[in-house]
Amino acid sequence: MSSEPPPRPQPPTHQTSVGLLDTPRARDRSPSPLRGNVVPSPLPTRRTRTFSATVRASQGPVYKGVCKCFCRSKGHGFITPADGGPDIFLHISDVEGEYVPVEGDEVTYKMCSIPPKNEKLQAVEVVITHLAPGTKHETWSGHVISS
């Protein structure tokens, strides 16, 4: 008996027929309007907002902007302010009115800070003022209309 350990199997040195194991494949990503925006965690909803934060937001000025994107299934989106500046987070619980926002809708809103650090802002009391022309809009009950 020898005291040497058994030889370890070596990885194949030849090219595999498909080539999938030799090089790591980069994942192709579809362009997303949400990419680059950071969604706050946990999501601040109307229900979890404190009464004092709600009062401060309702007493604040009304801003105008355009809906950049909104995903009904995820329950959030972003608004691009009319005066420029960074995009504002929008939660589904803060949308007033009968229509689901879509890209290009003109909106008015008030702003509220997002805890715990209160460094970022969230749109509250969001109202669609003009529906984006040439798009289909859905009501919260599921009816679809063309504008």
Side-chain angles (χ1 to χ4, degrees), residues 34-146:
L34 295 178
R35 193 165 322 285
N37 291 311
V38 178
V39 177
S41 177
L43 289 176
T45 65
R46 179 183 292 191
R47 215 168 66 166
T48 60
R49 194 170 23 253
T50 62
F51 178 75
S52 60
T54 303
V55 169
R56 279 193 306 271
S58 66
Q59 293 173 348
V62 176
Y63 298 94
K64 292 183 179 184
V66 176
C67 182
K68 178 179 181 180
C69 59
F70 187 83
C71 180
R72 183 175 182 173
S73 62
K74 292 182 180 178
H76 67 268
F78 290 90
I79 295 173
T80 301
D83 63 356
D87 293 338
I88 307 293
F89 176 76
L90 163 65
H91 190 264
I92 194 169
S93 65
D94 292 307
V95 178
E96 310 286 338
E98 64 179 305
Y99 296 108
V100 178
V102 298
E103 181 180 350
D105 285 347
E106 293 180 22
V107 296
T108 59
Y109 59 95
K110 295 182 179 184
M111 287 199 288
C112 179
S113 60
I114 300 173
K117 295 182 181 178
N118 296 324
E119 295 174 348
K120 297 181 181 180
L121 297 173
Q122 169 184 357
V124 297
E125 298 181 23
V126 178
V127 178
I128 300 173
T129 54
H130 292 88
L131 300 176
T135 59
K136 292 185 178 182
H137 282 79
E138 184 179 2
T139 63
W140 294 110
S141 61
H143 296 92
V144 177
I145 64 157
S146 295

Side-chain angles (χ1 to χ4, degrees), residues 11-25:
T13 56
H14 64 283
Q15 177 116 10
T16 59
S17 61
V18 179
L20 294 178
L21 299 176
D22 292 343
T23 58
R25 185 174 151 240

